[in-house]
Amino acid sequence: ARQPRTTTLSLRPARSAPMWLALTALSLGFVALRLQPPQAVRVRAGVPCAAVSQGAPQRVALGELVRESRAAPLAKRSARRKRGEAKERARQEGAVLREARPLADAHALPFEWLLVLDVEATCDARGRPWEHEIIEFPVVALNLRTLQVEHEFHSFVRPTANQTLTPFCRKLTGITQEQVDAAPPLDAVLREFDGWLRERGLVNTAEARSFAFGTDGHFDCQFFVDGECSRKGIPKAEYFDKWVNLKQLFADHYKVRRCKIAKMLERQGMRFEGRLHSGIDDSRNIARIAAQLVRDGSPVYINEGLPPRQRFLDL
């Protein structure tokens, strides 16, 4: 006998449609929006659609939503561009207006002179360990009352460990082998510099500080001056032990990241003058940065120093 046909029902749930397909189907129709006066209706992305007055519920076509959503990014980009142009104009105008600000009050300064120091040292292009030795020792004396450079000290230095400059070092610094060969060693340069300070009355005492060093970072006083003097047993004055880190002072005052000399000058509306990596030119430009910091109302104070040295006692 013929068996009756049976129908098998599957209890497995039907496969749901992809989410993007459902969203596409939903967006292709008209969206009925019941608007409550007087508030504006906003879609989920935060784009304003329409503001309707009192009345019956309105229907907003999909095309209007698309046009408004496309126009919103363009409007944002335009607003950002206008804000950027306004900031640039304000920066340029501010660079001009800052020149007319009154100078700092000398009685509010912890010292009268800022001695900007930016040494150059022996170096090599390779990544091998290298014993750096100072080959240029420049100091630019900035009067913090007048914000003018009134004195300069400059001397090349003869290295003793690696007496021959590498081609990379000569190209980077512009210093020739003949210049360092004819120069005195570091201990003689430091003695000459100390006499130069005393001739100009720049002396620090326990009661009052006449000057402080200003550097672009901590390398000059800590690693180059103190490091070489410690290795070679060269006597060093105590005024090298603390300094003003102008790179950090710049970042703190203008609320920016620490940057190099050329970038700091650019942020202040100036440009680098001279040859980059020339010790005397770098020092002069750092002095310009320091003077502009004071004009912009930044306090100048000692913010770095050598770490305390370990002392061993004989028991």
Side-chain angles (χ1 to χ4, degrees):
R2 174 183 286 181
Q3 296 292 333
R5 180 178 297 177
T6 59
T7 303
T8 303
L9 298 177
S10 175
L11 299 179
R12 184 175 57 186
R15 183 177 299 175
S16 59
M19 181 62 69
W20 66 268
L21 185 60
L23 293 176
T24 303
L26 181 62
S27 62
L28 289 177
F30 289 99
V31 181
L33 299 176
R34 185 176 298 274
L35 305 176
Q36 298 295 334
Q39 298 177 354
V41 177
R42 296 180 179 272
V43 297
R44 188 174 298 274
V47 180
C49 298
V52 296
S53 59
Q54 299 180 359
Q58 304 292 324
R59 291 182 179 272
V60 180
L62 177 64
E64 297 177 4
L65 294 175
V66 172
R67 283 194 297 271
E68 293 185 6
S69 63
R70 289 178 177 175
L74 296 176
K76 290 181 179 179
R77 286 197 294 268
S78 177
R80 285 197 298 267
R81 184 175 64 254
K82 291 180 180 179
R83 287 196 299 268
E85 293 173 353
K87 288 181 180 179
E88 180 63 21
R89 287 195 301 270
R91 186 188 67 80
Q92 296 177 355
E93 294 173 358
V96 177
L97 294 175
R98 281 195 294 265
E99 299 295 337
R101 294 185 181 182
L103 303 183
D105 183 6
H107 300 288
L109 297 171
F111 39 83
E112 184 178 355
W113 295 89
L114 184 67
L115 305 184
V116 180
L117 170 68
D118 193 84
V119 303
E120 297 298 326
T122 57
C123 53
D124 192 12
R126 304 176 222 174
R128 63 180 180 179
W130 188 264
E131 187 176 293
H132 298 284
E133 295 178 278
I134 297 174
I135 56 176
E136 185 180 6
F137 189 90
V139 175
V140 173
L142 175 68
N143 189 326
L144 293 178
R145 289 185 301 134
T146 63
L147 299 183
Q148 299 295 323
V149 173
E150 299 186 12
H151 309 290
E152 287 186 354
F153 176 88
H154 182 262
S155 176
F156 293 109
V157 184
R158 185 175 75 248
T160 57
N162 298 297
Q163 299 182 5
T164 302
L165 303 182
T166 63
F168 173 79
C169 182
R170 295 197 303 269
K171 181 178 180 181
L172 178 69
T173 63
I175 300 174
T176 65
Q177 186 67 46
E178 293 74 18
Q179 287 174 320
V180 296
D181 288 342
L186 181 61
D187 56 347
V189 172
L190 293 182
R191 287 195 301 270
E192 181 185 356
F193 174 69
D194 190 73
W196 180 86
L197 290 176
R198 296 180 183 277
E199 290 176 0
R200 287 154 182 79
L202 302 178
V203 180
N204 290 337
T205 63
E207 293 76 19
R209 177 181 289 273
S210 175
F211 66 89
F213 283 97
T215 61
D216 178 38
H218 62 283
F219 286 95
D220 296 273
C221 287
Q222 182 174 354
F223 289 101
F224 293 134
V225 176
D226 184 70
E228 185 172 352
C229 289
S230 299
R231 290 194 312 267
K232 298 181 178 181
I234 299 175
K236 175 180 64 67
E238 292 184 357
Y239 46 66
F240 286 108
D241 293 349
K242 297 178 181 179
W243 59 89
V244 181
N245 186 336
L246 291 168
K247 184 189 292 288
Q248 187 62 53
L249 202 69
F250 184 97
D252 293 340
H253 181 70
Y254 295 114
K255 303 297 186 296
V256 296
R257 292 183 179 181
R258 288 177 294 182
C259 50
K260 297 184 178 180
I261 300 174
K263 190 64 176 180
M264 287 191 285
L265 288 167
E266 180 183 346
R267 288 183 179 275
Q268 291 180 328
M270 299 182 289
R271 291 186 178 182
F272 189 92
E273 297 178 356
R275 186 187 191 282
L276 194 62
H277 296 299
S278 165
I280 187 63
D281 287 343
D282 286 350
S283 299
R284 290 166 179 166
N285 283 278
I286 297 171
R288 295 171 62 209
I289 295 171
Q292 193 61 58
L293 272 169
V294 177
R295 291 190 186 98
D296 289 347
S298 172
V300 179
Y301 55 93
I302 295 175
N303 55 3
E304 278 190 353
L306 294 178
R309 302 181 185 276
Q310 294 181 346
R311 294 182 179 180
F312 298 94
L313 301 179
D314 295 331
L315 300 179

